[in-house]
Amino acid sequence: KQFMIDSLKSIVNSRNLTTYDGDFIGELRSFVERRTPSGAVTQRAEKGKHDDTIMAMALAATVRSMGVVMGQTVVLEYR
């Protein structure tokens, strides 16, 4: 999960993602990263919110990044 979220973060932070999907944007606003008492970092939607589209995009971003690493052409379009 961490690798997938990192792949999505990379695309978002580099401004290589354009989306007009209100659900995705709303989920991004309520997606939080917290440190547990043991020091582990968890990433999830705030209580009562959803992160389904974030996880779907994170999976797509991972597939895209793996294709780039392997030198393959991967077409990723999200509507």
Side-chain angles (χ1 to χ4, degrees):
K1 181 177 175 179
Q2 181 66 48
F3 181 77
M4 292 189 332
I5 296 297
D6 288 344
S7 295
L8 180 58
K9 275 184 182 179
S10 176
I11 290 172
V12 170
N13 290 335
S14 66
R15 300 183 186 270
N16 285 326
L17 175 69
T18 301
T19 182
Y20 302 100
D21 185 294
D23 292 335
F24 178 65
I25 293 168
E27 287 183 14
L28 280 176
R29 290 185 176 135
S30 65
F31 198 75
V32 295
E33 188 171 273
R34 298 222 166 110
R35 188 167 303 276
T36 65
S38 67
V41 175
T42 63
Q43 298 160 324
R44 60 183 175 82
E46 292 176 337
K47 188 174 181 171
K49 303 289 183 175
H50 299 279
D51 64 2
D52 299 339
T53 59
I54 289 177
M55 295 312 299
M57 286 295 287
L59 180 57
T62 301
V63 169
R64 179 183 179 270
S65 69
M66 290 172 69
V68 169
V69 169
M70 294 177 176
Q72 299 172 359
T73 302
V74 178
V75 177
L76 175 62
E77 183 173 317
Y78 181 78
R79 292 184 186 264

